[in-house]
Each structure stands twice: as C-alpha cells, then as structure tokens.
Amino acid sequence: MYAIGSLGTGGYATLPGLVLTYFLTDNLGVAALAAGLIVTAAKIWDVLIDPLIGAASDRQLARTGSRRGFMVTGALALPLFFALTFAVPPSWGPVTGAVSVLLAFLATATAFSLFQVPYVALPAELTGNYDERTRLLGWRVVVLTAAILLFGAGGPALRNAGSDPVLGYLLMGIASGLAIGIGMLIAARTADIAARRNAHTSGAPIVSSTWRDQYMSGFRALGRSQPFRALLGTFVLQALATGTMLAGAQYVATWVLRSEDAVTLVFVALVGPALLTTPAWTALARRTGKERAFAIASGLFTAAAATLVIAVWTPGAWIYASVAVAGIAYAGLQSLPMAMLPDVISHDERTSGPGQAGTFTGIWTAGETVGFALGATAVSLTLATTGYISTVAGATVEQPAAAITGIVLSFSILPAALMAASLLTLRRYRLRREDIDAVASLDA
C-alpha cells in the first residue's frame, strides 16, 4: 500500500519534467529562457514551502498521532491543478499562456508537496530494521519506475492520440492528474499504520509554531546531522543530473532521433531495465551495504551518460543501449538513497528524540526540487545559448547545428559531470549497518 504512492510521485516528477518546457516552447511559443524560468519559479516555490510543510506535518503528528491529513488534502487537490497546467491554448498568446501555466503549476506543486513531504517521512516510522527499510523502499521504486514508464510513455501517447495538439495536452493532463491523485489517496492510508506503530508520538509537545521556527528546525537538523548533510548533498547533485536528462529527453527525441514519438522509446529504454533490476540492487545493498551499492550505481550512471556525447557526431538507435545501461543504474539511484534517509532520521532520533521525520523530509524534498528545477533551467539556458528556435503548435522550423549540439551535451556530458561530483559528497557519508543496528537495539 505504501509503494502505490509512488504512482503519484512518478507521474508528477516525470510528465512536467518531460513535456512542460517543451509544451511552453513548441506549443505556446514561449521563448526557451522564459520557459525555463517558469519551471524554475514553480520549483523555487516548492523549496520555500517544503520545510514549512515538513515542520507542520511533525506538529500534526504530535497533535493527532497521524500525518494523513496533509496527504489527503494534496491528493484531492492535485488532479484539478495538474489538468489546468496543460489546458492553456496557443490562441491566448505566449505571455498570457506563460502566466497561466505558471499559476496552475504553482498550485500543482503546492498540492504535491502536501502529500510528498509526509509520505517520505513514513518509512522511518513504519520500520526500524536496516534491511526492511531497503525492501520497503525497493518495492516503492518498483512502482516508481513502473509509473515513470506509464507516464513517460503513456503521457506523450495520449498527447499525440488525435490530430489536435491542444486537445491532446488537455486529455493528457486530465487523465494523468486523476491517476496521480488516486495513487496518492491510497497511499495516505499507510499514515495510519505508522501512527499505530508510533502511538507514543501522539500528545508530544507541539513546537516550532512560527514560520521562522519551522525553517530553523530544518537548519538545525542539517547542522547537527553530518550523515544527513552528506546524503542530501549527494541526492541534490543527482537530482540535478537526472533532471537535466529528463528535461532534455523530448528535445533529443525530436531533433536528434528526428521523431517526437521517440521519447516513448527513450523512456522504455530507461525504465524497463530499472524495473527489472531493482531487486538486484536490494540484494547488493544487503551484501555490501547501502552506501557501497549506491556508489556503484552512481559510477555506472556516470559512464553511461558520458557515452551519449557521441550522438553529436553519429546519432542513431545505439542511443537506446546507453540509456538502458543508465536505466540499470537508475534503479539503484532511486531506491538506495531513499532507504538511507530513514537510517539518518533514526540515527538522529537517538540524541534529538522522535517525531521530527517531517523536518528532515521537508528539507530533503526541497533539495530534490532544487535539483530537478535547476536541471530544467540548465537545459533551457543551453538551448537559449545555442540558438534554439521556439515555435507554436503546427509550425515547422529547422534548428541550427549549434542547438542540436547543445541538446546532446545537456543530455550527456552535463549529467555525467554532475553525477561524478556526487560521488565526492557520497564519500563523506559515514553511517554503516552496525550504526543503525545499534539504534534499533536501543529501541527494542
């Protein structure tokens, strides 16, 4: 039941990252730089509200014994705002269209954060066992990768189902928003399971009532937990790397592989191997430790992304093979850090007390948002710098060679360099299995 929430996580993370910038530049005629700024502005809003939601979720847990209220609110609100994001017609003009998309996407982001921040906090409260957390998050990633495949392939397919791209985007927004909301609503029930397991947190003192106190609680968590700083830094760099590839995928399909529909095959190549290999990463983590398995996955992704630069000179179907290798690594990049985060939280509880998981996950979700937002920004800046030509739906243009090169670089060398940098921050993560087992034995 917990894992089904990743149907919402995968859908929300995949479709906007995959098609929103493209929707703005190639359907509404918004300039590439402006499109990137719109996506970034919405993500900055996420960064501002996520720590507040995390601290508020901790207060809700202390007051009611459950984090479910925020999760249900987000699940019910998201479908409407998600559909509105893609409901803007080109006839409104680039300026009005851009403003409308921005407002709808801000509301969508708020609804998603209301669900996601408490959702990420739950594993630390559902089980205290080192390996059980890996299995729990492993199943979540199986659903997540399946959702990425469903939305990454199915979303563009819905968009292209008819001859009218305006109705196609609207259909995609409505259907995808409903699917995301249903998954989130089902997963919200696991908050009550966590509440029963941690009944002692209900009735705890309610603190951090002001905005300033809520932000400061997050900074205090960063300051006192060295493992959290190392893991968060690694995760943000990797979110930036994968966000860059995600935002560039549609452009690679259209202008490198010369088929707008090829984005579906790119996603199948990425997510198919990830779906199949998640259990293998779980087994490797059990044998070697999560941090070592995480480093192996990061190195493999770095190598696979770097090979894609060859597409500057010889584009072709071989790109799918490199993407598939990245997909094998991607399964580990998704499951392992999420399984390490509950370890960090439980380790901190040893000195700071329970009931603060939302504070950690608020900062974590904000960091992830920063990474994905800057990924889209990096792609839009690359497009603007290399002379990418924006257009409206139905119009035909030919991109300059420099723009094609920029698209390939943003899909290969840039994410590879960011992923390599994340290996340096990962080296500073010092929690090991014996540290978590020691905490669990004290709780027993």
Side-chain angles (χ1 to χ4, degrees):
M1 188 183 298
Y2 175 78
I4 198 66
S6 285
L7 181 67
T9 303
Y12 175 81
T14 300
L15 266 186
L18 178 64
V19 303
L20 185 54
T21 303
Y22 188 78
F23 172 67
L24 288 162
T25 59
D26 285 51
N27 193 69
L28 300 183
V30 178
L33 183 58
L37 291 175
I38 288 171
V39 176
T40 301
K43 297 301 184 180
I44 290 173
W45 173 247
D46 266 349
V47 172
L48 293 175
I49 64 173
D50 285 348
L52 299 178
I53 292 173
S57 176
D58 286 340
R59 294 201 314 275
Q60 184 181 68
L61 177 68
R63 186 174 61 251
T64 69
S66 175
R67 302 182 187 272
R68 186 171 182 268
F70 280 9
M71 297 173 71
V72 171
T73 300
L76 294 176
L78 184 138
L80 172 63
F81 296 124
F82 194 90
L84 290 175
T85 300
F86 294 100
V88 180
S91 59
W92 288 10
V95 175
T96 302
V99 172
S100 300
V101 170
L102 173 61
L103 293 176
F105 195 46
L106 283 173
T108 304
T110 303
F112 180 73
S113 290
L114 287 172
F115 168 82
Q116 178 74 355
V117 172
Y119 177 69
V120 176
L122 292 180
E125 298 165 357
L126 287 168
T127 178
N129 183 272
Y130 181 89
D131 288 324
E132 284 182 3
R133 285 171 176 166
T134 307
R135 286 193 292 272
L136 177 66
L137 273 301
W139 279 111
R140 180 194 166 190
V141 170
V142 168
V143 176
L144 177 65
T145 51
I148 292 172
L149 179 59
L150 173 65
F151 287 96
L158 283 174
R159 176 194 62 187
N160 299 331
S163 58
D164 186 347
V166 177
L167 291 178
Y169 274 109
L170 179 59
L171 174 62
M172 181 192 73
I174 293 173
S176 299
L178 286 173
I180 291 169
I182 290 170
M184 292 162 62
L185 197 59
I186 294 172
R189 297 179 61 187
T190 58
D192 293 333
I193 299 174
R196 288 193 293 269
R197 183 182 181 274
N198 300 276
H200 60 280
T201 59
S202 181
I206 301 175
V207 295
S208 301
S209 57
T210 69
W211 286 19
R212 181 180 181 277
D213 288 341
Q214 291 171 34
Y215 279 118
M216 290 307 299
S217 66
F219 288 120
R220 285 192 292 269
L222 274 172
R224 68 176 180 261
S225 177
Q226 188 278 332
F228 185 50
R229 293 195 300 273
L231 186 61
L232 179 64
T234 302
F235 192 68
V236 169
L237 285 170
Q238 295 195 355
L240 178 53
T242 54
T244 300
M245 289 192 76
L246 184 65
Q250 181 68 76
Y251 294 97
V252 168
T254 302
W255 299 110
V256 179
L257 295 171
R258 295 293 173 175
S259 170
E260 190 175 79
D261 294 338
V263 70
T264 298
L265 295 178
V266 171
F267 260 80
V268 170
L270 177 68
V271 178
L275 188 62
L276 296 174
T277 57
T278 295
W281 288 111
T282 300
L284 182 63
R286 189 181 303 117
R287 178 181 294 272
T288 67
K290 299 173 191 178
E291 71 289 342
R292 292 187 183 91
F294 190 22
I296 293 170
S298 303
L300 182 61
F301 190 96
T302 301
T307 64
L308 290 165
V309 73
I310 300 172
V312 171
W313 303 279
T314 57
W318 65 266
I319 290 175
Y320 299 123
S322 289
V323 172
V325 175
I328 294 172
Y330 184 71
L333 299 182
Q334 289 295 304
S335 61
L336 296 170
M338 294 302 298
M340 294 159 72
L341 178 60
D343 295 340
V344 169
I345 294 171
S346 63
H347 184 264
D348 178 77
E349 288 178 349
R350 188 174 183 179
T351 55
S352 303
Q356 300 185 63
T359 297
F360 279 86
T361 58
I363 296 293
W364 179 270
T365 305
E368 180 182 21
T369 299
V370 167
F372 277 110
L374 292 180
T377 303
V379 171
S380 66
L381 287 173
T382 302
L383 295 178
T385 302
T386 55
Y388 185 85
I389 302 172
S390 298
T391 186
V392 296
T396 302
V397 299
E398 186 61 36
Q399 299 296 340
I404 304 299
T405 299
I407 289 169
V408 174
L409 293 178
S410 67
F411 195 68
S412 58
I413 293 299
L414 182 55
L418 291 166
M419 192 64 65
S422 76
L423 285 166
L424 300 178
T425 57
L426 181 58
R427 291 180 61 185
R428 301 189 61 196
Y429 181 84
R430 302 189 181 99
L431 280 184
R432 299 296 183 263
R433 178 191 297 271
E434 52 269 23
D435 299 314
I436 306 307
D437 288 344
V439 174
S441 65
L442 290 173
D443 291 339

